[in-house]
Amino acid sequence: MKPAEKITDKLIGAHSLETAEYAALIRARDEVRDTLRGAAEKERRRFYGNTVFTRGLIEISSFCKNDCLYCGIRRSNANAERYRLTEEQILECADNGYELGFRTFVLQGGEDAYFTDERLIPLIGELKRRRPDCAVTLSLGERSYESYKRLREAGADRYLLRHETADEEHYKKLHPDEMSFQNRMRCLKNLKALGYQVGCGFMVGSPFQTPETLAKDLKLIEEFKPEMCGIGPFIPHHETPFAKHPAGTLELTCFLLSVIRIIHPPVLLPATTALGTIDPLGRERGIKCGANVVMPNLSPVSVRKKYALYDNKLCTGEEAAECRRCLERRIRSIGYETVTARGDFKNTNNN
Ligand code: SAH
């Protein structure tokens, strides 16, 4: 048996590898891709059948105090158009989404000082009051333990905060000096301790990424066991320091989706908009490789183009209803089914 096949067998049997073995697997991926895709598909079916969960994404603000080198809405991009939705607009997006069958709303935005706890708490409360059968997910960056606690008490169920890379040196190359890997990890641990369903994740093909840094990402997922994991290709934005760096690939992203599904079988794993942006059938491919979540956009069309994390972002022109229908059709075309459900993480302890 070839070394890569041996490592693959171990991963499928044990849901765990040494960090160096993850790196070796990534290097030799051409030899074992199909085996891993098959095993990922099997795990996915065991937990979720052929269903795909949908999340309605509401991009609440493009103001950001951070200066992440990869991101189009970083504070030093003076040409970024800034907007912020009102509470009314956010609730309207959610009402519209509810009618369309969404039962999870994701409020995502830059780190905008306007959205204090005092403003978010009544907003989350009102969302939960109107829609007690829905989950509220926040994706608003790093905040204090106290803030995460108050937002959780206000009713937030889940929190997405990608770790971006599990290698500290790599983290420093992607972020300005005032941000730190330690703080990111502290935030993720705090969120977990507060009882959120937590999502970490990273960009595939980010500048300076190597099989070794990716191996650390996979080890982190194995150990932290996030309820959700967001991975998508890095895509350059023309007004960032990484404008000239190449985008991540469909091939590597799909491979990693399969590996993550096997490492942590019940994980909620989205086929991201970024994946759909680099390839017209990217999200479909992602689902076939182990993803089980899609997150179409519910933001008002008037602001869609302004939430430009990267160039050529998909679906910035369509109304939410069109997006929903288009995605449902795409998912059905590959033999899967979108469902109207909160789509919570369920660990049946048989992994
Ligand atoms: N401010 C929030 C939301 C950030 S946007 C937070 O900090 O969590 C959500 C994700 O988009 C980021 O975590 C990052 O991984 C991804 N992203 C940012 N710029 C990107 C780019 N150029 N290409 C692909 N993904 C990008």
Side-chain angles (χ1 to χ4, degrees):
M1 207 189 259
K2 288 188 191 163
E5 289 170 5
K6 239 172 128 172
I7 298 175
T8 299
D9 273 5
K10 178 175 170 188
L11 176 65
I12 293 170
H15 310 283
S16 163
L17 291 177
E18 301 300 325
T19 307
E21 292 174 321
Y22 281 124
L25 192 68
I26 291 163
R27 288 190 193 282
R29 60 187 179 277
D30 287 346
E31 300 166 32
V32 294
R33 176 188 329 278
D34 292 345
T35 311
L36 284 171
R37 181 167 13 97
E41 169 60 11
K42 216 168 134 196
E43 291 292 1
R44 178 205 194 289
R45 278 192 191 275
R46 188 153 71 90
F47 282 86
Y48 298 107
N50 74 336
T51 58
V52 174
F53 296 133
T54 57
R55 321 298 196 194
L57 182 64
I58 306 173
E59 296 156 336
I60 67 171
S61 174
S62 69
F63 286 91
C64 192
K65 73 171 170 62
N66 282 337
D67 217 17
C68 307
L69 277 76
Y70 44 83
C71 185
I73 62 168
R74 63 201 302 266
R75 68 157 186 267
S76 45
N77 180 4
N79 291 324
E81 286 188 67
R82 308 291 172 173
Y83 74 92
R84 159 185 309 132
L85 299 183
T86 62
E87 175 168 347
E88 193 122 304
Q89 283 176 305
I90 295 168
L91 292 168
E92 214 171 279
C93 290
D95 282 342
N96 182 22
Y98 191 87
E99 297 304 318
L100 293 170
F102 291 99
R103 294 296 178 267
T104 290
F105 302 110
V106 182
L107 308 189
Q108 187 180 85
E111 291 195 22
D112 179 357
Y114 175 87
F115 282 106
T116 56
D117 297 347
E118 289 66 33
R119 291 199 167 97
L120 286 168
I121 288 167
L123 173 62
I124 295 165
E126 178 60 14
L127 267 172
K128 295 294 278 194
R129 191 194 63 75
R130 289 192 191 187
R131 308 293 176 194
D133 53 337
C134 291
V136 171
T137 304
L138 303 177
S139 179
L140 301 170
E142 297 178 351
R143 303 175 79 96
S144 67
Y145 178 86
E146 276 310 313
S147 171
Y148 287 149
K149 183 164 186 283
R150 287 193 285 265
L151 301 178
R152 173 94 183 104
E153 285 162 0
D157 303 278
R158 311 187 188 129
Y159 205 102
L160 303 175
L161 181 69
R162 291 186 176 180
H163 64 282
E164 311 297 357
T165 170
D167 180 282
E168 190 167 359
E169 289 309 306
H170 187 211
Y171 193 93
K172 285 188 191 152
K173 293 180 185 161
L174 301 180
H175 298 96
D177 286 345
E178 68 267 18
M179 291 177 74
S180 81
F181 177 67
Q182 275 76 19
N183 195 48
R184 187 61 52 133
M185 287 299 129
R186 191 181 319 126
C187 287
L188 284 167
K189 286 192 181 118
N190 287 345
L191 289 163
K192 217 168 200 188
L194 287 164
Y196 284 94
Q197 294 177 40
V198 181
C200 66
F202 57 90
M203 293 176 288
V204 177
S206 63
F208 316 112
Q209 187 176 67
T210 63
E212 282 67 34
T213 65
L214 279 172
K216 290 188 185 176
D217 292 319
L218 296 175
K219 197 66 188 174
L220 177 83
I221 290 161
E222 182 192 313
E223 290 172 350
F224 185 66
K225 298 210 183 320
E227 284 77 16
M228 308 170 281
C229 183
I231 71 161
F234 161 74
I235 303 174
H237 184 288
H238 63 284
E239 302 221 53
T240 63
F242 293 159
K244 297 272 178 286
H245 283 265
T249 64
L250 175 73
E251 171 270 311
L252 182 54
T253 308
C254 286
F255 172 80
L256 291 167
L257 284 169
S258 295
V259 173
I260 293 167
R261 171 65 63 204
I262 297 165
I263 292 174
H264 186 28
V267 72
L268 296 161
L269 197 58
T272 58
T273 304
L275 192 55
T277 297
I278 59 160
D279 187 289
L281 294 176
R283 285 170 300 177
E284 290 88 328
R285 290 278 300 276
I287 288 168
K288 288 195 210 165
C289 288
N292 71 321
V293 173
V294 286
M295 300 172 63
N297 205 316
L298 286 181
S299 308
V301 174
S302 59
V303 305
R304 294 266 184 101
K305 282 201 180 4
K306 299 181 190 165
Y307 195 78
L309 308 178
Y310 47 81
D311 290 337
N312 306 316
K313 199 174 135 204
L314 200 66
C315 307
T316 51
E318 287 111 80
E319 291 292 345
E322 294 172 62
C323 275
R324 170 96 199 181
R325 274 195 297 272
C326 162
L327 259 178
E328 275 177 7
R329 206 175 331 108
R330 285 166 175 270
I331 288 166
R332 210 171 307 125
S333 78
I334 54 166
Y336 294 80
E337 206 69 54
T338 49
V339 288
T340 297
R342 274 173 57 120
D344 283 297
F345 175 83
K346 280 197 195 77
N347 194 350
T348 53
N349 284 324
N350 60 352
N351 58 320

